[in-house]
Amino acid sequence: MSETIDIAALGGVKEGEKKRPRSKDRRLEIACQSVEDRLKNYDEVALGYSPAEAVAEAMRCLECPKPRCVVACPVHIDIPTFIGHVSRGHFVGAAEDIRKYNNLPAVCGRVCPQENLCEAACIINDTNPKNPIAIGRLERFSADWQFGHSERRADSVAKAPATGYKVAVIGSGPAGLSCSADLAKMGHTVHLFEALHKAGGVLMYGIPEFRLPKAIVQKEVEYVQALGVQLECNAVVGRTMPVQEVLDEFDALFVASGAGYPNMMGIPGENLNGVYSANEFLTRVNLMKAWKSDVGTPIRKPRRVVVVGAGFTAFDVVRISLRLGAEEARIVYRRSREEMPGRGEEIEHALEEGAIFTLLTNPVRYIGDDNGFVKAVEVQKMELGEPDSSGRRRPVPVRDSNYIIECDTVVVSIGQTPNVLIPSNLPGLATRWGSVIKVNRETYMSTVPKVFAGGDAITGAATVILATRAGREAARSIDGYVRDPNRGWYPPAV
Amino acid sequence: MYRITGKKVLATGVVEMTIEAPRVAKAHKPGQFLMVMNREDSERVPLTIADSNPETGEVTIVFLEVGRSTIELGEEFQVGEDLFAVLGPLGTPTHLDKVGTVVVIGGGLGVAPIYPICKGLRATGNRVVTIIGYRRKDLMFWDDKLRSASDELIVTTDDGSFGMKGFVSDALKKLHDEGRPMDRVVAIGPPVMMRAVAELTRPWEVPTTVSLNTIMIDGTGMCGGCRVGIGDETKFVCVDGPDFDGHKVHWDEMFARMKVYQKEEREAIASSPSCRLYFETLKR
């Protein structure tokens, strides 16, 4: 299926030639759907580079001998090498190279906060400010190209001979998928349990289609299955089968159950109709596809929406609301623009699409109508005080500043914590705050022998790339453990 | 994968269905529920498990054809066909400790889920007095099963066409008036019935367990759509329940939350050919 790439025509480096990097050039913008169009559909907003664009952007890379981007990347992708492949027209080679370090390049190329990681570290920032190499876009381009242009058969992947060891992985989100893929390549028998009816975890229920197409996620899942991983959906370990039963059957267990329990503020009126947790709103729309007209799961069409919070999730919610036809979609955030944890591109896209930001403002109660539906939120103005433990300035309420914002929908998007199901069904498993599993950060071993954990289950809600890294590092540790004749156990200090 | 192995219409709109789900059947304990998805694009519907057989790997559900998904499940799916997804058993099992005499009440569809609870309570040494209530005689089902699972069975019908005339709460009040022992009450059925029972037993100070069936998506503690005020806390029905202290449930809030998708449900029913046909048949 591979096609010949005329690298000269694309402006890249020909075979045997030396690269002359054009680092002075401006960073190449990515084509996007127009605001008008994208508000009428759920299709991906950023359209991706064409081969010519990818090569042009790759030609800007200096391919530094001591690349800072690689250090800044949580999984240390060999960025100059893969970009070198792109600039020479070896697109599939670029993708294969990324895959040595990251099992989910098509996903991470889309949702990683590159501007705070690899791209922030790019040396070109020093001489050509705000014009780092668009590493994320090139990662996405390479992975997408590979999906479309190579067989990418899992049976061609170098796999170690079967070891006979059996590992159970709980949760098929980024940590679980990444860990399963690596364990399978190492020759272990892997059984992957997923509670929902589709694999992918937060990639399916949390991140909307217009940021991460579900077909892309399913391609990554299929690839992991093709490596020999046995996927079992509709299986909640701790309910569908006792945790102990799984422990008895397998040599090791990797808990990657994520952070799926929604935080609420505990203010009056939170149980009114029309007040959603972000998880409910997102799951209805993303996993259950409530945005389509012909599916079983409903969503109430919002008219005036207040989204509480300003993380990734809040921006996803506000942008979904606009696509559902909301006339007014407002982010209410207790800090200022500078402290917003959301990804820069998402914030820009949300603003373009008409989201309103009401900053330094916090809800204090929700007001309902006679039928129990929310009709307004009472908010309070805030000002920034001294920095808190997160290093950000702490918001402090302003006296007598309360006022009312009318709305028919509120989505509380102030974070998630891990589900307590596994800890509460596994005696001896040490946690922080009752749900975040404690592990030795070197070995990913918990306080219960055989039980490893990683991803959001050990950190609380974080990013896809950190979960992917945890899955990979845990796989290495699990591999060492199952092969160790003494089965040495190195739990966290409690 | 989740094959329908049995289907029986128990009364108008009440369907008993047996489904192959070996893991669920093996792990099921009284009071737990499962989630059903008819097809890939269907909603996830929580239904209480009415019986299970770990040997054959089958679970039994009894449901009322009331919304688009339950009507389609009852009308479109036949024995031998597969459901897209069955997930369970979910929720915290009913406490079955020995307390003495337990009055177990099932109203309408609630007759089905109390069956495993009656069996379980008896197995731990309780005396089980069961009250089951229906609107009319022709809507009765499973009274024989409940009789075999109870030490004493009282049947009520709203119109008096069978057994005692009146509501289950009337039968409960009669038991209390007669000074019969009553160490605990378990009530499952329509929310109005559960509230009526809880209000009755409150002054008697008899611990009363109710089983809530609120709107939920995942059933594992992820969406929080099922949340309801219990005492001065907010609880998730899917993981903290479905059983709660009936004296602590914020019933008004729960009633309001059950109505959140009424409009959307009406539209869904109107757009489903099976639902239209079902209601036309009912009229005739």
Side-chain angles (χ1 to χ4, degrees), chain A residues 195 197-198 232 234 236 239-241 245 260-262 264 270-271 273 275-277 279-280 283-284 289 296-297 300 419, chain B residues 2 23 26-27 37 40-44 85-89 91 217 220-223 225 227 234 253 256-257 260-261 264:
Chain A
H197 55 277
K198 278 265 180 208
E232 181 175 349
N234 304 310
V236 186
R239 287 273 191 244
T240 307
M241 64 287 284
E245 195 179 298
Y261 194 88
M264 301 296 272
E270 230 166 27
N271 292 350
N273 288 339
V275 181
Y276 293 89
S277 74
N279 270 1
E280 178 180 0
T283 304
R284 281 183 185 275
K289 310 186 197 87
T297 303
R300 290 179 60 243
N419 197 309
Chain B
Y2 305 101
R23 288 210 198 261
K26 191 175 161 208
M37 282 180 85
E40 190 166 355
D41 277 344
S42 303
E43 62 183 333
R44 296 164 64 97
V86 173
L87 167 70
I217 311 177
T220 63
M222 207 179 87
C223 77
R227 67 191 187 276
T234 288
E253 182 185 285
R257 287 188 67 80
V260 60
Y261 286 107
E264 287 78 8

Short mmCIF file of all heavy atoms in Angstrom, two decimals, chain A residues 195 197-198 232 234 236 239-241 245 260-262 264 270-271 273 275-277 279-280 283-284 289 296-297 300 419, chain B residues 2 23 26-27 37 40-44 85-89 91 217 220-223 225 227 234 253 256-257 260-261 264:
data_model
loop_
_atom_site.label_atom_id
_atom_site.label_comp_id
_atom_site.label_asym_id
_atom_site.label_seq_id
_atom_site.Cartn_x
_atom_site.Cartn_y
_atom_site.Cartn_z
N ALA A 195 -14.23 -1.71 32.03
CA ALA A 195 -15.56 -1.66 32.65
C ALA A 195 -16.63 -1.24 31.64
O ALA A 195 -17.75 -1.76 31.66
CB ALA A 195 -15.55 -0.69 33.82
N HIS A 197 -18.31 -0.45 27.69
CA HIS A 197 -18.54 -1.35 26.57
C HIS A 197 -17.58 -1.12 25.42
O HIS A 197 -17.61 -1.85 24.44
CB HIS A 197 -20.00 -1.23 26.09
CG HIS A 197 -20.39 0.18 25.74
ND1 HIS A 197 -20.81 1.09 26.69
CD2 HIS A 197 -20.39 0.84 24.57
CE1 HIS A 197 -21.06 2.24 26.09
NE2 HIS A 197 -20.82 2.11 24.81
N LYS A 198 -16.75 -0.07 25.52
CA LYS A 198 -15.75 0.21 24.48
C LYS A 198 -14.42 0.46 25.16
O LYS A 198 -14.38 1.11 26.22
CB LYS A 198 -16.13 1.49 23.72
CG LYS A 198 -17.15 1.26 22.63
CD LYS A 198 -16.44 1.06 21.30
CE LYS A 198 -17.46 0.83 20.21
NZ LYS A 198 -16.93 0.03 19.13
N GLU A 232 -11.29 -7.66 27.33
CA GLU A 232 -12.63 -8.05 27.81
C GLU A 232 -13.35 -6.80 28.30
O GLU A 232 -13.00 -6.23 29.33
CB GLU A 232 -12.52 -9.08 28.94
CG GLU A 232 -13.89 -9.52 29.44
CD GLU A 232 -13.84 -10.64 30.49
OE1 GLU A 232 -12.77 -11.22 30.71
OE2 GLU A 232 -14.89 -10.89 31.09
N ASN A 234 -16.98 -4.72 29.46
CA ASN A 234 -18.07 -5.00 30.39
C ASN A 234 -17.60 -5.83 31.58
O ASN A 234 -18.29 -6.73 32.04
CB ASN A 234 -19.22 -5.74 29.69
CG ASN A 234 -19.73 -4.97 28.50
OD1 ASN A 234 -20.02 -3.79 28.59
ND2 ASN A 234 -19.82 -5.64 27.36
N VAL A 236 -16.04 -5.20 35.34
CA VAL A 236 -15.58 -4.33 36.42
C VAL A 236 -14.89 -5.19 37.47
O VAL A 236 -15.57 -5.90 38.22
CB VAL A 236 -16.76 -3.59 37.10
CG1 VAL A 236 -16.25 -2.58 38.11
CG2 VAL A 236 -17.63 -2.92 36.07
N ARG A 239 -16.26 -6.13 41.00
CA ARG A 239 -17.70 -6.36 40.96
C ARG A 239 -18.01 -7.60 40.11
O ARG A 239 -18.63 -8.55 40.58
CB ARG A 239 -18.44 -5.16 40.37
CG ARG A 239 -18.50 -3.98 41.30
CD ARG A 239 -19.70 -4.07 42.24
NE ARG A 239 -19.91 -2.84 42.96
CZ ARG A 239 -19.81 -2.70 44.29
NH1 ARG A 239 -19.47 -3.74 45.03
NH2 ARG A 239 -20.04 -1.55 44.86
N THR A 240 -17.61 -7.54 38.84
CA THR A 240 -17.90 -8.66 37.95
C THR A 240 -17.13 -9.91 38.39
O THR A 240 -17.59 -11.03 38.19
CB THR A 240 -17.55 -8.29 36.49
OG1 THR A 240 -18.21 -7.06 36.18
CG2 THR A 240 -17.99 -9.35 35.53
N MET A 241 -15.94 -9.68 38.94
CA MET A 241 -15.20 -10.78 39.57
C MET A 241 -14.43 -10.17 40.73
O MET A 241 -14.03 -9.01 40.66
CB MET A 241 -14.26 -11.48 38.57
CG MET A 241 -13.13 -10.64 38.03
SD MET A 241 -13.68 -9.40 36.84
CE MET A 241 -13.97 -10.43 35.43
N GLU A 245 -9.81 -13.06 42.95
CA GLU A 245 -9.87 -14.10 41.92
C GLU A 245 -8.88 -13.79 40.79
O GLU A 245 -8.20 -14.67 40.29
CB GLU A 245 -11.30 -14.15 41.37
CG GLU A 245 -11.63 -15.37 40.56
CD GLU A 245 -13.08 -15.33 40.09
OE1 GLU A 245 -13.98 -15.33 40.96
OE2 GLU A 245 -13.30 -15.29 38.86
N GLY A 260 -11.77 8.56 37.50
CA GLY A 260 -13.09 8.72 36.87
C GLY A 260 -14.18 9.15 37.82
O GLY A 260 -15.35 9.12 37.47
N TYR A 261 -13.81 9.56 39.02
CA TYR A 261 -14.85 9.91 39.99
C TYR A 261 -14.95 11.43 40.04
O TYR A 261 -13.98 12.12 40.35
CB TYR A 261 -14.46 9.34 41.36
CG TYR A 261 -15.59 9.35 42.36
CD1 TYR A 261 -16.48 8.29 42.47
CD2 TYR A 261 -15.77 10.44 43.22
CE1 TYR A 261 -17.51 8.29 43.39
CE2 TYR A 261 -16.80 10.45 44.14
CZ TYR A 261 -17.67 9.37 44.22
OH TYR A 261 -18.69 9.38 45.13
N PRO A 262 -16.12 11.99 39.72
CA PRO A 262 -16.20 13.44 39.56
C PRO A 262 -16.19 14.19 40.90
O PRO A 262 -16.89 13.80 41.83
CB PRO A 262 -17.56 13.63 38.87
CG PRO A 262 -18.36 12.44 39.26
CD PRO A 262 -17.40 11.31 39.45
N MET A 264 -17.30 17.37 43.06
CA MET A 264 -18.32 18.42 43.07
C MET A 264 -17.91 19.40 44.16
O MET A 264 -17.05 19.10 44.99
CB MET A 264 -19.70 17.83 43.35
CG MET A 264 -20.19 16.77 42.35
SD MET A 264 -20.45 17.35 40.65
CE MET A 264 -22.15 17.90 40.72
N GLU A 270 -26.57 21.86 44.13
CA GLU A 270 -25.79 21.08 43.16
C GLU A 270 -26.56 19.88 42.61
O GLU A 270 -26.19 19.35 41.56
CB GLU A 270 -24.49 20.61 43.81
CG GLU A 270 -23.28 20.90 42.98
CD GLU A 270 -21.98 20.73 43.75
OE1 GLU A 270 -21.92 19.96 44.72
OE2 GLU A 270 -21.02 21.40 43.37
N ASN A 271 -27.60 19.44 43.31
CA ASN A 271 -28.37 18.30 42.82
C ASN A 271 -29.59 18.72 41.99
O ASN A 271 -30.44 17.89 41.69
CB ASN A 271 -28.79 17.41 43.98
CG ASN A 271 -27.59 16.72 44.62
OD1 ASN A 271 -26.49 16.77 44.08
ND2 ASN A 271 -27.80 16.09 45.76
N ASN A 273 -31.72 19.62 38.68
CA ASN A 273 -31.64 19.14 37.29
C ASN A 273 -30.94 20.19 36.44
O ASN A 273 -31.16 21.39 36.61
CB ASN A 273 -33.04 18.90 36.74
CG ASN A 273 -33.68 17.67 37.35
OD1 ASN A 273 -32.99 16.80 37.86
ND2 ASN A 273 -35.00 17.60 37.30
N VAL A 275 -27.72 20.52 36.44
CA VAL A 275 -26.35 20.64 36.96
C VAL A 275 -25.69 19.28 36.75
O VAL A 275 -26.12 18.28 37.30
CB VAL A 275 -26.32 21.01 38.46
CG1 VAL A 275 -24.88 21.13 38.94
CG2 VAL A 275 -27.10 22.29 38.71
N TYR A 276 -24.68 19.26 35.89
CA TYR A 276 -24.00 18.02 35.56
C TYR A 276 -22.59 18.01 36.16
O TYR A 276 -21.97 19.06 36.28
CB TYR A 276 -23.76 17.91 34.05
CG TYR A 276 -24.95 17.77 33.16
CD1 TYR A 276 -25.60 18.89 32.65
CD2 TYR A 276 -25.39 16.51 32.78
CE1 TYR A 276 -26.68 18.75 31.79
CE2 TYR A 276 -26.45 16.38 31.91
CZ TYR A 276 -27.09 17.49 31.42
OH TYR A 276 -28.13 17.34 30.55
N SER A 277 -22.08 16.82 36.41
CA SER A 277 -20.62 16.70 36.53
C SER A 277 -20.09 16.71 35.11
O SER A 277 -20.80 16.30 34.18
CB SER A 277 -20.25 15.38 37.22
OG SER A 277 -20.44 14.29 36.33
N ASN A 279 -18.01 14.76 33.91
CA ASN A 279 -17.99 13.36 33.47
C ASN A 279 -19.31 12.94 32.85
O ASN A 279 -19.33 12.24 31.83
CB ASN A 279 -17.73 12.44 34.67
CG ASN A 279 -16.26 12.19 34.89
OD1 ASN A 279 -15.42 12.71 34.16
ND2 ASN A 279 -15.94 11.41 35.90
N GLU A 280 -20.42 13.32 33.49
CA GLU A 280 -21.71 12.91 32.93
C GLU A 280 -21.94 13.57 31.58
O GLU A 280 -22.31 12.92 30.60
CB GLU A 280 -22.87 13.26 33.88
CG GLU A 280 -24.21 12.85 33.24
CD GLU A 280 -25.44 13.15 34.07
OE1 GLU A 280 -25.31 13.69 35.18
OE2 GLU A 280 -26.54 12.84 33.57
N THR A 283 -19.55 12.02 29.00
CA THR A 283 -19.84 10.63 28.68
C THR A 283 -21.09 10.53 27.81
O THR A 283 -21.13 9.77 26.85
CB THR A 283 -20.03 9.80 29.97
OG1 THR A 283 -18.85 9.95 30.76
CG2 THR A 283 -20.21 8.34 29.66
N ARG A 284 -22.08 11.33 28.14
CA ARG A 284 -23.28 11.32 27.29
C ARG A 284 -22.93 11.68 25.86
O ARG A 284 -23.36 11.02 24.91
CB ARG A 284 -24.32 12.33 27.81
CG ARG A 284 -25.10 11.85 28.99
CD ARG A 284 -26.17 12.83 29.44
NE ARG A 284 -26.80 12.32 30.65
CZ ARG A 284 -27.81 11.45 30.68
NH1 ARG A 284 -28.36 11.04 29.56
NH2 ARG A 284 -28.29 11.01 31.82
N LYS A 289 -22.54 9.18 22.41
CA LYS A 289 -22.81 9.91 21.15
C LYS A 289 -24.15 10.64 21.15
O LYS A 289 -24.88 10.67 20.15
CB LYS A 289 -22.77 8.95 19.96
CG LYS A 289 -21.53 8.09 19.89
CD LYS A 289 -21.52 7.28 18.59
CE LYS A 289 -20.55 6.12 18.62
NZ LYS A 289 -21.13 4.89 19.19
N GLY A 296 -29.61 6.23 21.50
CA GLY A 296 -30.54 6.08 22.61
C GLY A 296 -30.33 7.04 23.77
O GLY A 296 -31.24 7.30 24.54
N THR A 297 -29.10 7.54 23.93
CA THR A 297 -28.80 8.36 25.11
C THR A 297 -29.13 9.82 24.86
O THR A 297 -28.62 10.41 23.91
CB THR A 297 -27.31 8.22 25.47
OG1 THR A 297 -27.04 6.85 25.68
CG2 THR A 297 -26.98 9.00 26.73
N ARG A 300 -29.93 17.08 27.33
CA ARG A 300 -30.79 18.25 27.23
C ARG A 300 -30.04 19.32 26.46
O ARG A 300 -28.91 19.65 26.78
CB ARG A 300 -31.17 18.76 28.61
CG ARG A 300 -32.13 17.82 29.33
CD ARG A 300 -32.48 18.30 30.72
NE ARG A 300 -33.12 19.60 30.68
CZ ARG A 300 -32.62 20.70 31.22
NH1 ARG A 300 -31.47 20.67 31.84
NH2 ARG A 300 -33.26 21.84 31.15
N ASN A 419 -11.48 6.19 41.15
CA ASN A 419 -12.59 5.42 41.67
C ASN A 419 -12.10 4.56 42.85
O ASN A 419 -11.00 4.03 42.82
CB ASN A 419 -13.11 4.51 40.55
CG ASN A 419 -14.49 3.97 40.81
OD1 ASN A 419 -14.76 3.42 41.86
ND2 ASN A 419 -15.37 4.14 39.84
N TYR B 2 -23.96 -12.11 24.91
CA TYR B 2 -24.98 -12.05 25.96
C TYR B 2 -26.29 -12.50 25.32
O TYR B 2 -27.10 -11.69 24.88
CB TYR B 2 -25.08 -10.63 26.52
CG TYR B 2 -23.76 -10.12 27.03
CD1 TYR B 2 -22.98 -9.24 26.27
CD2 TYR B 2 -23.27 -10.53 28.27
CE1 TYR B 2 -21.76 -8.78 26.74
CE2 TYR B 2 -22.05 -10.07 28.75
CZ TYR B 2 -21.30 -9.20 27.97
OH TYR B 2 -20.09 -8.75 28.42
N ARG B 23 -20.27 -14.51 34.09
CA ARG B 23 -19.55 -13.81 35.16
C ARG B 23 -20.52 -13.11 36.10
O ARG B 23 -20.32 -13.08 37.30
CB ARG B 23 -18.58 -12.80 34.54
CG ARG B 23 -17.37 -13.41 33.85
CD ARG B 23 -16.24 -12.40 33.99
NE ARG B 23 -15.13 -12.59 33.07
CZ ARG B 23 -13.99 -13.21 33.43
NH1 ARG B 23 -13.89 -13.74 34.63
NH2 ARG B 23 -13.00 -13.29 32.56
N LYS B 26 -22.37 -15.59 38.34
CA LYS B 26 -21.52 -16.14 39.38
C LYS B 26 -21.32 -15.15 40.52
O LYS B 26 -21.28 -15.52 41.69
CB LYS B 26 -20.17 -16.53 38.76
CG LYS B 26 -19.30 -17.36 39.68
CD LYS B 26 -18.03 -17.81 38.97
CE LYS B 26 -16.99 -18.23 40.01
NZ LYS B 26 -15.63 -18.05 39.52
N ALA B 27 -21.18 -13.88 40.18
CA ALA B 27 -20.83 -12.88 41.20
C ALA B 27 -22.05 -12.25 41.87
O ALA B 27 -21.91 -11.59 42.90
CB ALA B 27 -19.96 -11.79 40.56
N MET B 37 -27.30 -2.91 27.36
CA MET B 37 -27.36 -2.13 26.12
C MET B 37 -27.92 -3.06 25.05
O MET B 37 -27.32 -4.09 24.74
CB MET B 37 -25.97 -1.68 25.70
CG MET B 37 -25.43 -0.50 26.46
SD MET B 37 -23.77 -0.08 25.86
CE MET B 37 -24.18 0.98 24.46
N GLU B 40 -25.42 -1.32 19.85
CA GLU B 40 -24.25 -0.47 20.07
C GLU B 40 -24.63 0.99 20.30
O GLU B 40 -23.96 1.69 21.05
CB GLU B 40 -23.28 -0.60 18.90
CG GLU B 40 -21.96 0.08 19.22
CD GLU B 40 -20.83 -0.29 18.28
OE1 GLU B 40 -21.04 -1.15 17.41
OE2 GLU B 40 -19.76 0.31 18.43
N ASP B 41 -25.68 1.46 19.65
CA ASP B 41 -26.07 2.86 19.81
C ASP B 41 -27.17 3.06 20.85
O ASP B 41 -27.71 4.16 20.98
CB ASP B 41 -26.52 3.44 18.47
CG ASP B 41 -25.33 3.88 17.63
OD1 ASP B 41 -24.23 4.02 18.21
OD2 ASP B 41 -25.49 4.08 16.41
N SER B 42 -27.51 2.03 21.58
CA SER B 42 -28.56 2.14 22.59
C SER B 42 -28.02 2.81 23.84
O SER B 42 -26.83 2.91 24.04
CB SER B 42 -29.10 0.76 22.96
OG SER B 42 -29.57 0.09 21.82
N GLU B 43 -28.97 3.25 24.70
CA GLU B 43 -28.52 3.77 25.98
C GLU B 43 -28.23 2.61 26.93
O GLU B 43 -28.58 1.47 26.65
CB GLU B 43 -29.58 4.72 26.58
CG GLU B 43 -30.91 4.06 26.88
CD GLU B 43 -31.95 5.04 27.41
OE1 GLU B 43 -31.58 6.06 28.02
OE2 GLU B 43 -33.15 4.77 27.23
N ARG B 44 -27.56 2.94 28.02
CA ARG B 44 -27.28 1.93 29.04
C ARG B 44 -28.40 2.01 30.07
O ARG B 44 -28.62 3.05 30.65
CB ARG B 44 -25.92 2.22 29.69
CG ARG B 44 -24.74 2.10 28.73
CD ARG B 44 -23.48 2.75 29.28
NE ARG B 44 -22.99 2.09 30.47
CZ ARG B 44 -22.02 1.17 30.49
NH1 ARG B 44 -21.43 0.81 29.37
NH2 ARG B 44 -21.62 0.63 31.62
N ALA B 85 -24.49 -5.46 25.14
CA ALA B 85 -23.68 -5.43 26.37
C ALA B 85 -24.53 -5.70 27.60
O ALA B 85 -25.68 -5.27 27.70
CB ALA B 85 -22.99 -4.08 26.52
N VAL B 86 -23.94 -6.45 28.51
CA VAL B 86 -24.51 -6.65 29.84
C VAL B 86 -23.35 -6.49 30.82
O VAL B 86 -22.33 -7.16 30.69
CB VAL B 86 -25.14 -8.05 30.00
CG1 VAL B 86 -25.57 -8.27 31.45
CG2 VAL B 86 -26.34 -8.21 29.06
N LEU B 87 -23.51 -5.58 31.75
CA LEU B 87 -22.44 -5.31 32.72
C LEU B 87 -22.99 -5.47 34.12
O LEU B 87 -24.04 -4.92 34.46
CB LEU B 87 -21.94 -3.87 32.53
CG LEU B 87 -21.04 -3.31 33.63
CD1 LEU B 87 -19.68 -3.99 33.61
CD2 LEU B 87 -20.87 -1.82 33.46
N GLY B 88 -22.27 -6.21 34.93
CA GLY B 88 -22.72 -6.34 36.30
C GLY B 88 -21.92 -7.40 37.03
O GLY B 88 -20.95 -7.91 36.49
N PRO B 89 -22.32 -7.78 38.22
CA PRO B 89 -23.37 -7.12 39.00
C PRO B 89 -22.84 -5.84 39.62
O PRO B 89 -21.70 -5.79 40.04
CB PRO B 89 -23.69 -8.16 40.08
CG PRO B 89 -22.41 -8.91 40.26
CD PRO B 89 -21.70 -8.91 38.94
N GLY B 91 -23.43 -2.19 42.15
CA GLY B 91 -24.05 -1.74 43.39
C GLY B 91 -23.63 -2.58 44.58
O GLY B 91 -23.09 -3.68 44.43
N ILE B 217 -25.58 6.47 33.85
CA ILE B 217 -25.01 6.09 32.56
C ILE B 217 -24.10 4.87 32.73
O ILE B 217 -24.38 3.80 32.22
CB ILE B 217 -24.20 7.22 31.89
CG1 ILE B 217 -25.01 8.51 31.89
CG2 ILE B 217 -23.84 6.84 30.47
CD1 ILE B 217 -24.23 9.67 31.32
N THR B 220 -20.90 2.77 37.50
CA THR B 220 -19.71 2.41 38.26
C THR B 220 -19.13 3.57 39.07
O THR B 220 -18.01 3.50 39.54
CB THR B 220 -18.60 1.89 37.33
OG1 THR B 220 -18.21 2.95 36.44
CG2 THR B 220 -19.07 0.71 36.51
N GLY B 221 -19.87 4.67 39.17
CA GLY B 221 -19.39 5.80 39.98
C GLY B 221 -18.71 6.87 39.16
O GLY B 221 -18.01 7.72 39.70
N MET B 222 -18.93 6.86 37.85
CA MET B 222 -18.20 7.79 37.00
C MET B 222 -18.98 9.05 36.65
O MET B 222 -18.41 10.13 36.61
CB MET B 222 -17.83 7.06 35.72
CG MET B 222 -16.61 7.58 35.05
SD MET B 222 -16.29 6.60 33.59
CE MET B 222 -17.29 7.47 32.41
N CYS B 223 -20.27 8.92 36.41
CA CYS B 223 -20.98 10.09 35.87
C CYS B 223 -21.64 10.93 36.96
O CYS B 223 -21.79 12.14 36.81
CB CYS B 223 -22.00 9.67 34.82
SG CYS B 223 -23.53 8.97 35.47
N GLY B 225 -24.65 11.04 37.65
CA GLY B 225 -26.00 11.39 37.27
C GLY B 225 -27.05 10.83 38.24
O GLY B 225 -28.13 11.36 38.38
N ARG B 227 -26.89 10.76 41.44
CA ARG B 227 -26.71 11.22 42.81
C ARG B 227 -28.01 11.72 43.44
O ARG B 227 -28.90 12.23 42.76
CB ARG B 227 -25.63 12.32 42.88
CG ARG B 227 -26.00 13.62 42.21
CD ARG B 227 -24.77 14.51 42.11
NE ARG B 227 -25.11 15.84 41.61
CZ ARG B 227 -25.23 16.14 40.31
NH1 ARG B 227 -25.03 15.20 39.39
NH2 ARG B 227 -25.56 17.37 39.94
N THR B 234 -24.49 13.86 49.80
CA THR B 234 -24.92 13.44 48.48
C THR B 234 -24.29 12.09 48.20
O THR B 234 -23.09 11.91 48.39
CB THR B 234 -24.49 14.46 47.42
OG1 THR B 234 -25.29 15.63 47.57
CG2 THR B 234 -24.68 13.92 46.02
N GLU B 253 -36.28 15.68 46.06
CA GLU B 253 -35.16 15.88 45.14
C GLU B 253 -35.06 14.71 44.17
O GLU B 253 -34.86 14.89 42.96
CB GLU B 253 -33.87 15.99 45.96
CG GLU B 253 -32.63 16.23 45.14
CD GLU B 253 -31.40 16.21 46.03
OE1 GLU B 253 -31.19 17.20 46.76
OE2 GLU B 253 -30.66 15.21 46.01
N ALA B 256 -37.75 14.86 41.50
CA ALA B 256 -37.42 15.87 40.49
C ALA B 256 -36.34 15.35 39.54
O ALA B 256 -36.44 15.50 38.33
CB ALA B 256 -36.95 17.15 41.18
N ARG B 257 -35.33 14.69 40.10
CA ARG B 257 -34.22 14.22 39.26
C ARG B 257 -34.66 13.11 38.30
O ARG B 257 -34.09 12.96 37.22
CB ARG B 257 -33.04 13.75 40.11
CG ARG B 257 -32.28 14.90 40.76
CD ARG B 257 -31.00 14.45 41.45
NE ARG B 257 -29.99 13.97 40.51
CZ ARG B 257 -29.20 14.75 39.80
NH1 ARG B 257 -29.29 16.05 39.88
NH2 ARG B 257 -28.29 14.23 39.00
N VAL B 260 -35.80 14.48 34.78
CA VAL B 260 -34.95 15.39 34.00
C VAL B 260 -35.04 15.15 32.49
O VAL B 260 -34.99 16.09 31.71
CB VAL B 260 -33.49 15.36 34.53
CG1 VAL B 260 -32.89 13.99 34.44
CG2 VAL B 260 -32.62 16.38 33.83
N TYR B 261 -35.22 13.91 32.08
CA TYR B 261 -35.25 13.63 30.63
C TYR B 261 -36.63 13.28 30.11
O TYR B 261 -36.77 12.64 29.07
CB TYR B 261 -34.25 12.51 30.29
CG TYR B 261 -32.84 13.02 30.35
CD1 TYR B 261 -32.00 12.65 31.38
CD2 TYR B 261 -32.37 13.93 29.40
CE1 TYR B 261 -30.71 13.16 31.47
CE2 TYR B 261 -31.10 14.44 29.47
CZ TYR B 261 -30.27 14.06 30.50
OH TYR B 261 -29.01 14.57 30.58
N GLU B 264 -37.21 14.47 26.51
CA GLU B 264 -36.39 13.72 25.56
C GLU B 264 -36.91 12.29 25.40
O GLU B 264 -36.88 11.71 24.33
CB GLU B 264 -34.93 13.70 26.01
CG GLU B 264 -34.18 15.03 25.83
CD GLU B 264 -34.51 16.07 26.90
OE1 GLU B 264 -35.22 15.72 27.87
OE2 GLU B 264 -34.08 17.23 26.75
#
